[in-house]
């Protein structure tokens, strides 16, 4: 892949975890998961300047960390703490459209206090995965002059830490959440009006992830709808949104600019990486991809969305 | 609007009805409704060769029929029978995303036996709105050599008349249904696989309507995703799918060809007309539009969906 810019570094702050996934394909235990695992893997196809800030327990296998290093990902910000790695158990409905949390064991994540190395403070793109908004704000106080800060969150934080979240949002460039979270945060069902309210909270752009309905971008200049690839094989939606975010930010690092046109293309790259992620369990769908395979799916999405502009 | 072809006639077979719509905006009684009412109005912006085949009761106001005539719609196939016009009452949830049927009074529709005039038998585009599949098949036996037959149906017929529906589908070019109906008809949750199964039942193309998530087209040659316009004002989703179908078939009549490229553009015109329909109650959103307004929304959808094709 031709790297047009080697200057865009991407800092990913998030979780590295183990997941137990139950659903129509049976129970799969101890799968590698966590937002940072998906984000960094997806982004690493586009840029060799991805750094993870996260924490794992002393039970976390060294070979999993070695694998990240082999992918060119900087793991110097992954702290190893005494205790158990964050563990999440979820169960999907037969249609894979809804899921419930069966168990959450925070383990070492309970005391996670992200402390950035000097080198990481100069990151130009910062992606704050879904963690406590207090910690997200704490990271933002440590970075020096990022060109873009993107943030993910979830219903839990909207419910129990709304004030902290709102405070953090005021310092964020791009918020990436799903449609239900957008409705909840804005207290408004209509997505377009919800977007308007959220943009007044601080972010200059809002990306609403809608699963197999694609993703919507709202910003001062308008809106963009990125389609999702209709897939015949979906095994595990876990990490789809994170893979989307990783592809998006990874492409921005690769492209080296943040123009509206580049951001649209980056969302399609996000859709590409999300589509690969859900075809297999854990991060498997993001393993062993090539520039050619990524380009093929990008082209397929371009073909899926193409229509002639006509004049009546 | 420049008419490139005056030869494509569109025959719409469906219902003309009164609706009571309850929901977050209160109860609205005796609104003009029915599939043919929406389809014909949406299509009439694109072609002056729209004919309706339907039945109304002796309670149906003459001025409503006159209005159709003024729009250039041929109403010679609307039969007036003794009895009450078809009446549907529905209630929408606060989010307008789900609805339940409160009451259905078939009235004169119970004995509807569409009998085509000679002129209508030569229609080149035939749109069979959501009625009993036995009646739909009966219409198909009467038309001579249509270039395209499109059909809508609903969960009721999939449930109680599956065999008749399957028999009818074997003679249809394009099936237009929503995502839940597609899953139910194919007995398969995954939409791409459901589409594959449905295309084996006869139709050469399948259009899956997904409300504010847009519409998907599946055919032998691939897939197309038409976006929906994110609207800040949605008052009444009733008739959205019919307006989509009317815009689509109307544009096909206007364009005068059925090439894959024209069909994609036609789906966008469908999305345009569906978006106008939901902004107001009944058919009001389809009234008083101009070529300029339609073009503006088409351009807005083109802008919404636009992204640069890049090579990695």
């Amino acid at each position: 892949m031709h790297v047009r810019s080697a200057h865009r570094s991407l800092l990913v702050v998030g979780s590295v975890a183990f997941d137990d996934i139950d659903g129509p394909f049976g129970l799969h235990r101890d799968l590698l998961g966590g937002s940072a695992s998906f984000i960094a893997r997806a982004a690493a196809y586009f840029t060799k300047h991805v750094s993870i800030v996260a924490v794992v327990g002393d039970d976390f296998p060294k070979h999993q960390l070695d694998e990240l290093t082999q992918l060119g990902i900087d793991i110097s910000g992954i702290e190893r703490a005494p205790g158990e790695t964050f563990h999440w158990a979820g169960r999907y409905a037969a249609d894979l459209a809804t899921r419930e949390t069966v168990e959450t064991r925070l383990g070492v994540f309970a005391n996670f206090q992200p402390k950035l190395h000097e080198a990481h403070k100069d990151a130009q793109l910062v992606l704050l995965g879904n963690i406590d908004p207090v910690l997200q704000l704490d990271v933002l106080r440590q970075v020096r002059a990022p060109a873009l800060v993107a943030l993910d969150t979830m219903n839990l934080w909207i419910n129990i830490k709304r004030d902290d979240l709102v405070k953090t949002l005021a310092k964020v460039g791009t918020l990436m959440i799903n449609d239900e979270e957008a409705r909840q945060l804005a207290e408004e069902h209509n997505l377009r009006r919800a977007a308007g309210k959220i943009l007044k909270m601080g972010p200059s752009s809002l990306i609403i992830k809608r699963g197999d309905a694609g993703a919507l971008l709202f910003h001062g200049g308008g809106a963009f709808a990125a389609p999702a690839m209709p897939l015949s094989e979906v095994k595990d939606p876990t990490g789809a949104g994170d893979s989307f975010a990783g592809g998006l930010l990874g492409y921005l690092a690769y492209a080296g600019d943040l123009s509206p046109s580049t951001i649209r293309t980056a969302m399609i790259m996000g859709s590409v990486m999300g589509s690969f992620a859900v075809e297999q369990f854990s991060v498997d769908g993001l393993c062993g991809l090539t520039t050619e395979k990524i380009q093929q799916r990008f082209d397929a999405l371009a073909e899926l969305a193409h229509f002639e502009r006509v004049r009546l």
Side-chain angles (χ1 to χ4, degrees), chain A residues 1 50 73 88 101-102 106 134-136 143-144 151 170 180 193 203 207 226 229 245 269 276-277 281 294 306:
Chain A
M1 206 177 289
V50 180
I73 297 165
W88 179 77
T101 292
V102 175
L106 285 177
V134 176
L135 298 186
Q136 291 175 322
V143 291
R144 291 199 180 96
L151 180 143
E180 282 320 305
R193 285 208 301 268
I207 291 170
M229 181 56 67
M269 291 300 177
F276 282 124
F281 282 93
I294 293 169
H306 175 73

Side-chain angles (χ1 to χ4, degrees), chain A residues 191-268:
Chain A
L191 277 185
R192 181 132 221 173
R193 285 208 301 268
K197 282 180 146 190
I198 291 169
L199 291 179
K200 284 188 186 143
M201 296 179 181
S204 57
S205 62
L206 168 68
I207 291 170
I208 300 181
K209 300 172 284 182
R210 305 190 72 191
D212 74 350
L216 289 169
L217 165 71
F218 292 101
H219 55 88
F224 171 59
M229 181 56 67
L231 300 167
S232 57
E233 197 70 67
V234 176
K235 281 196 176 142
D236 180 9
T238 312
D242 294 317
S243 305
F244 173 90
L248 196 165
L249 271 286
Y251 182 78
L252 290 180
Y254 161 82
D257 77 85
L258 297 170
S259 69
S261 165
T262 298
I263 290 171
R264 286 176 175 232
T265 303
M267 281 184 64
I268 303 298

Side-chain angles (χ1 to χ4, degrees), chain A residues 35 38-39 97 99 127-131 136 150-155 174-183 191 195 198 205-218 224-228 237-249 266-267 270-271 273-275 278:
Chain A
S35 59
F38 288 96
I39 293 168
R99 75 176 180 203
L127 181 41
L128 300 169
N130 165 34
I131 56 174
Q136 291 175 322
L151 180 143
D152 188 10
T153 190
M154 71 184 291
N155 50 3
T174 301
L175 175 64
M176 297 193 245
I177 47 181
N178 70 32
D179 40 7
E180 282 320 305
E181 290 155 357
R183 291 180 167 120
L191 277 185
I198 291 169
S205 62
L206 168 68
I207 291 170
I208 300 181
K209 300 172 284 182
R210 305 190 72 191
D212 74 350
L216 289 169
L217 165 71
F218 292 101
F224 171 59
T238 312
D242 294 317
S243 305
F244 173 90
L248 196 165
L249 271 286
M267 281 184 64
S271 189
M273 301 312 285
S275 76
V278 302

Side-chain angles (χ1 to χ4, degrees), chain A residues 15-96:
Chain A
S15 58
V16 174
F18 287 113
D19 294 340
D20 296 345
I21 305 293
D22 201 0
F25 298 102
L27 175 61
H28 292 67
R29 285 185 191 279
D30 298 322
L31 301 173
L32 180 65
S35 59
S37 301
F38 288 96
I39 293 168
R41 273 180 173 75
Y45 283 103
F46 299 93
T47 169
K48 288 301 157 207
H49 302 271
V50 180
S51 303
I52 298 180
V53 170
V55 62
V56 296
D58 46 23
D59 58 347
F60 195 79
K62 185 176 175 299
H63 75 88
Q64 295 280 21
L65 295 174
D66 292 344
E67 210 174 274
L68 290 169
T69 305
Q70 281 153 26
L71 294 170
I73 297 165
D74 165 28
I75 61 162
S76 66
I78 301 186
E79 181 193 338
R80 188 184 279 274
E84 190 198 25
T85 299
F86 180 36
H87 203 113
W88 179 77
R91 188 184 297 122
Y92 285 89
D95 61 7
L96 291 171

